[in-house]
Amino acid sequence: MKAVVLAGGLGTRLRPLTLNTPKPIVPIFDRPFLYQQIDLLRKLPDIDEIILSLNYQPEAIERVVGDGSTLGIPIRHIVEPTPLGTGGAIKYACRNIKGTVVIFNGDVLTDTDLQAVVELHRKRSAYATIVLTPVDNPWAYGLVETDGRCNVTRFLEKPNPDEVTCDTINAGIYVLETDTFDRIPDDTNWSVERQFFPSLVDRNETFVAHVNRGYWLDIGTPEKYIQAHRDIMTGRCQAYPFFDRHARDSLVAPDATVSSKAKLEAPCFVSSGARIEAGARISAHTVIGQGCVVGADAVIDAGILWPGATVGHGAVLTDAILGHGVRIDAHARIGPGTVIGDRSVITRYSRLS
Ligand code: GDD
Ligand code: MG
């Protein structure tokens, strides 16, 4: 059985981070995001290949993920000639595949029991099986209503707040049958959420739902991207090998240099080659990427620094994300919600929030 990961979106809500780093490979600590999904899919014994459905900056993704030989499963990259939307992308990626396929949105962090989803699909001889998850703000997702037998009775993508009737949404994980794809036109921008799923309901075809009660998060906004790191560090999400075993500890790479006069609050993460100077304070839930430098007396309070970022003497950063190689000069103050694109320079005493 093949798995297809939809990884071709523009990642607009994560700009400017995604201008040079497509969303599927933004780092989670020091691993490209897609690796978590590959780990999860590999656990399914039936999956013999993962296909990455790409459009935006495919070479960047191919360079990082390669053919899967270092990840323990063959990986193939299929690049659409133009963005085909989620439905068009699935049809294009599956054009030479027969039978059952597992589809994954390339931005969901989860520990869903995929084996249980595939078993439900087979037991019900379903045309399609979808994973649902409860959330507080269903209007931001695809709302999915079900009946008492787990049949999907309504699929409404991004409903208006007054159209919300339940809290279960599309978690972006499906088991589908390729012979149902004949309703998706070839080489046409088409939405699996707005067109394919509603068509199954309209035609009364067997469309069933598995409700995930475990961890689930779409990392597609800066707030959720920060939350993913926090949830892993506190042990709420068990997706990162170190924090799985040592939730609530800090993880400092053996070749990072941390001054004995710097203060690190657990849980935090300091990657390889990073340097933390005297008097600096790294608060809980902070992520310091590879080769970053945090200058003397600087404060990083729940920030995320991508590789090569530097923070000058006495600067203060709160709940902010710095892209690759960003330079924050001495005494600057970077406030909550700030996201700074790769290689930007913020001069000393600047204030951003
Ligand atoms: N190949 C390809 N081509 N991939 C695409 C395209 C495309 O044209 N458009 C989007 N994708 C990929 C994105 O990279 C992402 O991994 C996935 O499809 C979903 O797109 P998003 O842009 O992240 O959609 P969303 O988060 O607003 O909504 C979707 O996900 C929600 C769960 O997180 C929908 O599927 C909702 O129904 C769902 O609730
Ligand atoms: Mg998304």
Side-chain angles (χ1 to χ4, degrees):
M1 189 161 64
K2 312 284 179 208
V4 175
V5 179
L6 294 174
L10 298 174
T12 46
R13 288 164 290 184
L14 271 181
R15 283 179 184 163
L17 299 171
T18 44
L19 293 178
N20 305 314
T21 308
K23 182 166 61 169
I25 54 167
V26 295
I28 297 290
F29 300 98
D30 54 4
R31 299 179 89 210
F33 177 72
L34 266 183
Y35 285 17
Q36 322 283 341
Q37 296 191 326
I38 293 168
D39 287 348
L40 193 67
L41 286 165
R42 266 180 40 206
K43 287 194 208 145
L44 260 187
D46 291 356
I47 300 283
D48 56 20
E49 185 183 43
I50 297 175
I51 295 168
L52 301 184
S53 162
L54 307 179
N55 184 260
Y56 176 66
Q57 299 191 1
E59 350 44 66
I61 298 176
E62 287 190 60
R63 225 177 10 250
V64 168
V65 181
D67 64 3
S69 45
T70 58
L71 298 169
I73 186 153
I75 292 179
R76 189 149 46 104
H77 303 254
I78 294 190
V79 182
E80 298 146 39
T82 55
L84 293 176
T86 47
I90 292 172
K91 170 111 183 211
Y92 190 79
C94 295
R95 61 200 187 281
N96 296 318
I97 300 173
K98 294 217 175 324
T100 311
V101 285
V102 176
I103 312 283
F104 233 91
N105 279 358
D107 59 357
V108 296
L109 179 62
T110 182
D111 54 9
T112 298
D113 180 355
L114 293 180
Q115 188 60 39
V117 183
V118 172
E119 278 165 18
L120 173 69
H121 182 80
R122 290 189 177 136
K123 192 168 118 217
R124 295 286 304 271
S125 305
Y127 273 53
T129 301
I130 186 170
V131 177
L132 310 185
T133 199
V135 294
D136 296 334
N137 57 337
W139 54 87
Y141 303 96
L143 180 88
V144 185
E145 290 175 16
T146 52
D147 67 14
R149 290 196 60 237
C150 300
N151 296 301
V152 175
T153 51
R154 189 171 183 225
F155 191 113
L156 189 57
E157 183 66 12
K158 312 272 160 56
N160 294 322
D162 62 0
E163 292 176 303
V164 171
T165 49
C166 59
D167 68 351
T168 43
I169 59 120
N170 167 20
I173 302 166
Y174 326 118
V175 183
L176 304 179
E177 294 299 318
T178 52
D179 56 12
T180 62
F181 296 167
D182 50 4
R183 74 195 70 188
I184 306 178
D186 284 328
D187 305 324
T188 306
N189 194 300
W190 223 72
S191 163
V192 78
E193 299 88 353
R194 294 179 196 276
Q195 292 163 289
F196 181 80
F197 290 138
S199 83
L200 294 170
V201 176
D202 291 346
R203 297 184 198 187
N204 225 0
E205 288 160 333
T206 313
F207 180 17
V208 298
H210 166 97
V211 181
N212 166 51
R213 301 278 170 205
Y215 185 83
W216 183 89
L217 187 77
D218 178 331
I219 62 141
T221 64
E223 298 71 31
K224 300 284 183 188
Y225 176 68
I226 290 178
Q227 191 187 330
H229 288 88
R230 184 178 291 241
D231 288 346
I232 293 171
M233 282 189 261
T234 55
R236 240 191 105 215
C237 168
Q238 316 254 303
Y240 191 84
F242 176 85
F243 289 105
D244 273 6
R245 295 189 303 273
H246 304 277
R248 288 173 291 281
D249 279 359
S250 291
L251 175 50
V252 180
D255 65 347
T257 313
V258 180
S259 160
S260 57
K261 295 194 178 101
K263 191 169 170 228
L264 263 56
E265 288 170 12
C268 69
F269 179 87
V270 180
S271 189
S272 74
R275 193 174 81 235
I276 317 288
E277 296 183 348
R281 187 162 63 82
I282 308 295
S283 297
H285 311 130
T286 291
V287 177
I288 307 289
Q290 220 177 343
C292 288
V293 177
V294 179
D297 301 321
V299 177
I300 316 283
D301 188 359
I304 297 186
L305 276 57
W306 280 14
T310 60
V311 176
H313 169 230
V316 178
L317 195 115
T318 309
D319 255 324
I321 308 174
L322 307 186
H324 289 112
V326 167
R327 198 183 92 202
I328 306 291
D329 287 347
H331 302 292
R333 285 182 171 264
I334 312 296
T338 310
V339 184
I340 303 184
D342 293 346
R343 284 169 279 285
S344 305
V345 175
I346 308 298
T347 51
R348 60 205 182 109
Y349 291 100
S350 297
R351 295 185 191 283
L352 296 182
S353 62

